[in-house]
Amino acid sequence: MAYNRYVNICQPLHYKRVINRRACVQMASSAWITSIVYSALHTGNTFRLPFCQSSVISQLFCEISQLLKLACSDSYLSEVGLLAFLVFLGLNCFVFIIVSYVQIFQTVQRIPSEPGQHKAISTCLPHLTVISLFLCTGIFEYLKPISSLMSNMDLMMSVLYALVPPMMNPIIYSMRNNKIKAALKELIV
């Protein structure tokens, strides 16, 4: 999405040439392949772990951190490589998004008309909102200290992290549609 917005705003005359079917297939397949490889590595690592504690996970769904708590062995060493891979991927994506939006905002500042600036910014806001929502809940979920007891706040944040960003995606992106805006205004009034 960040690359799409970047090309759309910073190189509008080249958009059809740059964002073509081949580019879309490459971007989608690289996201899918990366996700599958990362998941397969975690799954393989989890199957190698010996479990000796209770099989009850105090979470609504099976998280890797919860499985590591149940393992008998010191599994942190085997997870370090996977976490390093995750950090590498995450930082690359994050830097790419930041660089894209810095260039977009620099280009927007050079647009002479205020309506043109507003239109360009409104194109980017839904994506930035979804990314911010996903990152904030994810950071809170994964960077909080691990405790042996699960609190209601931990459960709530897990649900927020897993459900809210995907659920808000269609709502946030559809708010650009004038018919939906009009229907919401009628519903509220």
Side-chain angles (χ1 to χ4, degrees), residues 32-106:
W32 276 93
I33 289 169
T34 304
S35 300
I36 289 169
V37 167
Y38 182 70
S39 299
L41 289 172
H42 266 303
T43 303
N45 189 42
T46 303
F47 281 140
R48 291 183 322 122
L49 296 174
F51 295 103
C52 58
Q53 295 181 12
S54 167
S55 62
V56 176
I57 296 175
S58 58
Q59 194 131 31
L60 298 175
F61 47 89
C62 192
E63 279 284 335
I64 293 167
S65 60
Q66 295 297 318
L67 289 174
L68 291 177
K69 286 183 195 176
L70 300 176
C72 298
S73 67
D74 186 18
S75 55
Y76 294 107
L77 293 178
S78 60
E79 282 290 314
V80 168
L82 293 175
L83 293 176
F85 181 61
L86 171 67
V87 168
F88 172 75
L89 288 177
L91 284 177
N92 278 337
C93 291
F94 187 69
V95 166
F96 182 75
I97 290 170
I98 294 299
V99 167
S100 296
Y101 277 107
V102 165
Q103 291 179 346
I104 287 170
F105 290 134
Q106 287 174 345

Side-chain angles (χ1 to χ4, degrees), residues 108-128:
V108 167
Q109 287 178 341
R110 290 191 302 258
I111 296 175
S113 70
E114 193 171 315
Q117 288 179 344
H118 179 71
K119 184 177 180 183
I121 293 293
S122 69
T123 301
C124 299
L125 285 180
H127 183 241
L128 286 174

